[in-house]
């Protein structure tokens, strides 16, 4: 089997790394909130963290004001691979 990866995206279509990490944290908090057996204190703490992350996501500019350099594009891509591509590829 031969697998080749091709990554294409226009710089304006790529979610900024800061916004992406905030969205991942929101997802993780929401997952923890779905766990049964949380105490009221744990639930309140998670809800405060969720509120903070949503607020920070809202304040994070989702658009770049200037096109990224090739090095910035490479750095962004390398930050996505371990968290998105590797878990999706089965162990061969």
């Amino acid at each position: 089997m031969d697998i080749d990866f091709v990554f294409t995206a226009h710089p304006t279509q790529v979610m900024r790394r800061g916004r992406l990490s905030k969205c991942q944290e929101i997802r993780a908090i929401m997952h923890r909130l779905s766990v049964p057996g949380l105490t009221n204190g744990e639930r309140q703490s998670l809800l405060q963290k969720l509120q903070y992350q949503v607020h920070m996501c809202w304040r994070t500019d989702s658009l770049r004001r200037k096109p990224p350099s090739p090095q910035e594009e490479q750095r962004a891509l390398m930050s996505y691979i371990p968290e998105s591509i590797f878990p999706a590829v089965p162990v061969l």
Side-chain angles (χ1 to χ4, degrees):
M1 178 186 316
D2 208 14
I3 300 173
D4 292 320
F5 291 104
V6 177
F7 297 98
T8 60
H10 189 274
T12 59
Q13 295 173 332
V14 176
M15 186 181 294
R16 296 187 68 182
R17 190 173 15 197
R19 174 69 67 93
L20 180 63
S21 67
K22 288 172 182 60
C23 289
Q24 290 171 335
E25 181 62 25
I26 289 170
R27 181 178 53 87
I29 293 169
M30 293 181 73
H31 176 72
R32 289 192 299 256
L33 280 168
S34 69
V35 174
L38 289 176
T39 66
N40 285 337
E42 291 169 330
R43 181 170 298 283
Q44 282 302 108
S45 175
L46 287 170
L47 288 173
Q48 287 176 347
K49 289 178 184 178
L50 179 61
Q51 182 179 15
Y52 174 78
Q53 288 298 331
V54 169
H55 177 75
M56 293 306 294
C57 193
W58 181 259
R59 293 180 49 104
T60 301
D61 193 359
S62 61
L63 299 176
R64 291 184 173 274
R65 298 298 173 201
K66 62 179 184 144
S69 70
Q71 293 82 7
E72 290 171 323
E73 288 186 35
Q74 178 187 11
R75 191 171 41 250
L77 176 64
M78 295 308 291
S79 71
Y80 300 141
I81 289 175
E83 297 174 5
S84 60
I85 304 299
F86 290 160
V89 176
V91 178
L92 298 177

